[in-house]
Amino acid sequence: PEGEALEREWAEFNGSKHAMAFNTGTAALHTALFAAGVGPGDEVITSAFSFSGSYNPILQQGAIPIFVDIDPRTYNLNVSEVEAKITDRTKALLPVDIHGLPADMDEIRALAQNHNLVVVEDACQAHGATYKGRMAGTLGDLGCFSLNATKNLAGGEGGLLLTDNDQFVKRAEMFRTFGERVGEEKEAFRPYYSY
């Protein structure tokens, strides 16, 4: 009940349709990349300034992290350098909301839309932060948070994933349950919160 309450309350707090809890923020990011269909040989563009938990999930999916330098004013992904890194192998953009400051998500979303890319927002350090009135973690197609003891919302350890995309949450649920598709016989048990 506590896990379900956490998922429900986190979804409601952020205004997201789905929330899922994980053992770490890194696991949430790994699951988000899987849900987005990132696989071997794909490229994921991300910030050169972050914790290894931002790029290790890319490697765990057999994909290639493509690093972009940061804006020296905000320490976030320098959006002006992203488009030059996009290739036919690019599958996703993974901006990092560093030190509680969301990345320039309007420009990132526009690039993603123009190139048919998924945006996985690493909001592991941005609990409760807003960007133009919207909550961090809801600005991409999937958003992930960490509850590590060093984060601004610490729970000792843990992670959370947000998305409004029903297909992504189905894939994420499968990944979280070792590839199992939860059928009607288990419908009474909801392994994530959705409203």
Side-chain angles (χ1 to χ4, degrees):
E2 294 299 324
E4 290 175 6
L6 171 65
E7 291 174 333
R8 180 181 66 251
E9 292 170 14
W10 192 246
E12 290 171 355
F13 174 75
N14 288 284
S16 189
K17 187 174 178 183
H18 304 285
M20 297 176 69
F22 292 87
N23 62 332
T24 63
T26 303
L29 284 165
H30 188 188
T31 302
L33 291 167
F34 173 84
V38 172
D42 290 337
E43 295 176 350
V44 178
I45 296 173
T46 192
S47 174
F49 180 64
S50 186
F51 176 66
S52 62
S54 296
Y55 64 82
N56 275 336
I58 298 168
L59 295 169
Q60 290 169 323
Q61 280 302 104
I64 303 160
I66 304 297
F67 295 107
V68 171
D69 205 355
I70 59 171
D71 179 321
R73 186 179 55 81
T74 65
Y75 295 95
N76 279 314
L77 187 72
N78 189 339
V79 181
S80 67
E81 296 184 16
V82 172
E83 193 159 26
K85 302 276 187 168
I86 295 172
T87 71
D88 59 348
R89 292 174 45 192
T90 306
K91 182 78 172 193
L93 304 178
L94 197 154
V96 179
D97 299 336
I98 202 75
H99 303 306
L101 179 65
D104 190 350
M105 294 302 290
D106 283 348
E107 289 186 40
I108 290 167
R109 296 281 309 172
L111 278 172
Q113 187 172 14
N114 289 343
H115 295 277
N116 196 30
L117 303 173
V118 176
V119 177
V120 176
E121 182 185 3
D122 180 340
C124 286
Q125 299 180 12
H127 314 73
T130 59
Y131 174 84
K132 298 184 179 180
R134 291 191 56 205
M135 299 297 284
T138 67
L139 304 168
D141 298 297
L142 299 118
C144 300
F145 299 86
S146 172
L147 301 177
N148 180 274
T150 65
K151 300 301 188 274
N152 55 345
L153 179 62
E157 193 54 271
L160 295 158
L161 179 149
L162 295 175
T163 188
D164 288 337
N165 185 300
D166 295 335
Q167 290 306 110
F168 286 160
V169 84
K170 284 179 184 173
R171 285 181 53 83
E173 179 186 45
M174 224 174 66
F175 193 73
R176 187 171 75 169
T177 57
F178 307 102
E180 177 182 322
R181 290 184 189 266
V182 178
E184 290 181 24
E185 71 279 1
K186 296 183 181 179
E187 204 168 282
F189 171 70
R190 299 291 299 185
Y192 66 90
Y193 178 72
S194 174
Y195 70 90

